[in-house]
Amino acid sequence: MKKINKTRFAILGMLFKSAKSGYSILQLMQKSTVYFWQESDASIYPMLKKLEKEGKVTSKTESTGKRERTLFEITDAGKAEFLEWMELQPEPESHRNELLLKLFFGGTVARKTLIKQLQHRLQKVYATREGFRRVETDILASISNKDPYKLFGTLALKNGFFHTEAEIEWLTECIKILDKIKS
Amino acid sequence: MKKINKTRFAILGMLFKSAKSGYSILQLMQKSTVYFWQESDASIYPMLKKLEKEGKVTSKTESTGKRERTLFEITDAGKAEFLEWMELQPEPESHRNELLLKLFFGGTVARKTLIKQLQHRLQKVYATREGFRRVETDILASISNKDPYKLFGTLALKNGFFHTEAEIEWLTECIKILDKIKS
DNA sequence: ACGGACATGTAAGCAGTTACATGATTGC
DNA sequence: GCAATCATGTAACTGCTTACATGTCCGT
């Protein structure tokens, strides 16, 4: 089973409701989907061109003074492809958790190395939780209740909160257990 | 910052305590780290050769009848590299959650499409939890309490359980919320 | 005799990232 | 005047996966 490029669907989804430029897609992703879907800058522009060649989007260039801006609009073919993908069940994603791998090999190092790793991660997770809270107050709060993005953004965010709490609990417990063992 | 290949560390870690063949590393990963660290079959053998060329492992071929088996042993240089990595803080890993992306674009499709997706995922998560339980009873239970793998395996597994429970809670709540909304 | 596990690899290709490159506009 | 942001792209590289390829040994 061949793996298919999903950047295209992220882009098509962003264009579904309104036309946007490559840059504004990047910005939108940066502030809305960054916690569960990341694209590197370099992947958007080539994919937009590819989608245009395939007839999934059309573009029109507009200028404000000397600055150019290419607006992309999704076509019916693009909408069809996107909606087809929306019906598909996500393929199992391969996960790689470097911290768990290190913990798994924990027998090779001193306990305090592991504890340091776990504590470092704990700080990161706290920061992530703060990030979620900021999304909640700064972005979601400003969206009208009637906008479907409000509901779906809230649900996606809740996923982040749930897993963040799970991770915090787990880290705390791990640290406690490792602390207790004199090594 | 350049991304570095971590397959090498997974391999070095597996070889740290005892020499193994490529095939048995694959098997070991399949049954012990598969839930948080996956390697495709094709990546192990070339990496072992590369590590050998770098002097991080040595190999000796032994034959049982006509079947050959190449055992790899970690060198001091290999151990040094591995231990250095153990001290490093993991880089932030880019995450991509296709289900959340679809949910985020939920405004483009009927509610029942989303509910179907969520329920499908719920089934998968239940299966994963079963998998964890099997690891717990079949593998961990058979390891001596004195073996450090017992402790670290248990902690890694606990991570799986925590996140699995978080995911189940979240999915259940999402489904409930979407069910309530008549669309 | 045959299927499944054992055992080891190669080749091709796509996806994704990093680094590089360029220039305009806005706000301080 | 300068920094930050706006705006768009290319080239090179690495990593990883898929598909392919080959042969042995063991249990039934």
Side-chain angles (χ1 to χ4, degrees):
Chain A
M1 192 166 64
K2 214 146 109 209
K3 207 170 124 181
I4 43 164
N5 186 334
K6 276 152 214 152
T7 300
R8 54 190 304 120
F9 301 113
I11 292 175
L12 291 174
M14 289 295 181
L15 297 178
F16 201 92
K17 299 273 179 177
S18 65
K20 287 177 187 67
S21 69
Y23 189 77
S24 61
I25 290 174
L26 277 170
Q27 271 186 308
L28 195 53
M29 286 182 174
Q30 192 52 40
K31 79 172 179 197
S32 60
T33 67
V34 71
Y35 289 105
F36 55 85
W37 198 267
Q38 286 175 296
E39 295 287 350
S40 72
D41 295 17
S43 62
I44 300 294
Y45 295 108
M47 183 52 75
L48 279 166
K49 286 207 164 171
K50 201 177 162 197
L51 286 169
E52 190 176 14
K53 231 196 303 189
E54 291 177 20
K56 305 295 166 57
V57 302
T58 55
S59 71
K60 51 183 169 193
T61 306
E62 49 180 46
S63 306
T64 327
K66 271 194 182 166
R67 182 185 285 178
E68 286 199 338
R69 226 174 106 80
T70 311
L71 270 184
F72 292 88
E73 200 169 347
I74 192 168
T75 63
D76 286 344
K79 286 190 178 184
E81 190 190 343
F82 174 79
L83 291 174
E84 210 175 295
W85 170 74
M86 284 293 285
E87 299 290 332
L88 290 178
Q89 296 149 359
E91 303 156 36
E93 27 212 318
S94 78
H95 30 220
R96 288 184 153 200
N97 187 325
E98 200 177 335
L99 183 65
L100 285 184
L101 188 64
K102 284 185 179 171
L103 192 67
F104 184 74
F105 294 137
T108 61
V109 296
R111 294 292 141 90
K112 73 165 197 284
T113 296
L114 297 175
I115 291 170
K116 212 177 63 187
Q117 292 279 357
L118 294 168
Q119 269 162 348
H120 182 257
R121 173 63 164 268
L122 195 54
Q123 294 313 310
K124 287 234 174 164
V125 178
Y126 284 142
T128 303
R129 187 168 60 178
E130 275 317 297
F132 287 150
R133 284 182 181 152
R134 243 173 291 122
V135 173
E136 201 172 29
T137 56
D138 297 359
I139 300 177
L140 282 179
S142 68
I143 299 175
S144 149
N145 281 334
K146 294 199 170 173
D147 190 328
Y149 281 119
K150 174 85 162 202
L151 170 62
F152 299 117
T154 304
L155 292 181
L157 191 63
K158 203 185 277 271
N159 181 277
F161 276 124
F162 275 41
H163 282 284
T164 300
E165 292 307 325
E167 188 77 1
I168 290 173
E169 263 184 74
W170 175 73
L171 286 166
T172 308
E173 197 171 319
C174 278
I175 292 169
K176 216 171 69 187
I177 290 172
L178 291 177
D179 263 335
K180 243 190 276 183
I181 300 167
K182 305 272 179 278
S183 69
Chain B
M1 191 166 62
K2 222 156 93 203
K3 206 169 126 181
I4 43 164
N5 186 337
K6 277 152 213 151
T7 301
R8 55 188 307 118
F9 302 113
I11 291 175
L12 290 173
M14 289 295 180
L15 297 178
F16 202 93
K17 300 271 178 177
S18 66
K20 286 176 188 65
S21 68
Y23 188 78
S24 62
I25 291 174
L26 276 170
Q27 271 186 307
L28 197 51
M29 288 181 172
Q30 192 52 39
K31 78 173 179 196
S32 61
T33 68
V34 70
Y35 288 107
F36 55 85
W37 198 267
Q38 286 176 296
E39 294 288 351
S40 71
D41 296 16
S43 62
I44 301 294
Y45 296 109
M47 183 53 76
L48 279 166
K49 287 208 162 168
K50 200 176 163 196
L51 286 169
E52 190 175 13
K53 231 195 304 188
E54 292 176 21
K56 305 293 166 59
V57 303
T58 55
S59 70
K60 52 182 168 191
T61 306
E62 48 181 45
S63 306
T64 329
K66 272 194 180 163
R67 181 184 286 177
E68 287 199 337
R69 225 173 104 83
T70 311
L71 269 183
F72 291 90
E73 202 168 346
I74 192 168
T75 63
D76 287 345
K79 285 189 180 185
E81 189 189 343
F82 174 79
L83 291 173
E84 211 176 295
W85 170 74
M86 283 295 285
E87 299 290 331
L88 289 178
Q89 296 149 358
E91 304 156 34
E93 25 212 318
S94 76
H95 29 219
R96 287 184 154 200
N97 187 325
E98 201 178 334
L99 183 64
L100 285 183
L101 188 63
K102 285 185 179 172
L103 193 67
F104 184 75
F105 293 137
T108 61
V109 295
R111 293 291 141 89
K112 73 166 198 282
T113 296
L114 297 174
I115 292 171
K116 212 176 65 187
Q117 293 278 357
L118 294 168
Q119 269 162 347
H120 183 257
R121 172 63 162 267
L122 194 55
Q123 293 314 309
K124 288 235 174 164
V125 178
Y126 284 142
T128 302
R129 187 167 61 177
E130 273 318 297
F132 286 151
R133 285 182 180 153
R134 244 173 289 122
V135 172
E136 201 172 30
T137 57
D138 297 0
I139 300 177
L140 284 178
S142 68
I143 299 175
S144 149
N145 282 334
K146 293 196 169 172
D147 190 329
Y149 281 118
K150 175 85 163 201
L151 170 61
F152 298 117
T154 305
L155 293 180
L157 192 63
K158 206 185 275 273
N159 182 278
F161 277 125
F162 276 40
H163 281 284
T164 300
E165 293 306 326
E167 187 77 1
I168 290 173
E169 265 184 73
W170 174 74
L171 286 166
T172 309
E173 198 171 318
C174 277
I175 292 170
K176 216 170 69 187
I177 290 172
L178 290 178
D179 262 335
K180 243 190 277 184
I181 299 168
K182 305 272 177 277
S183 69

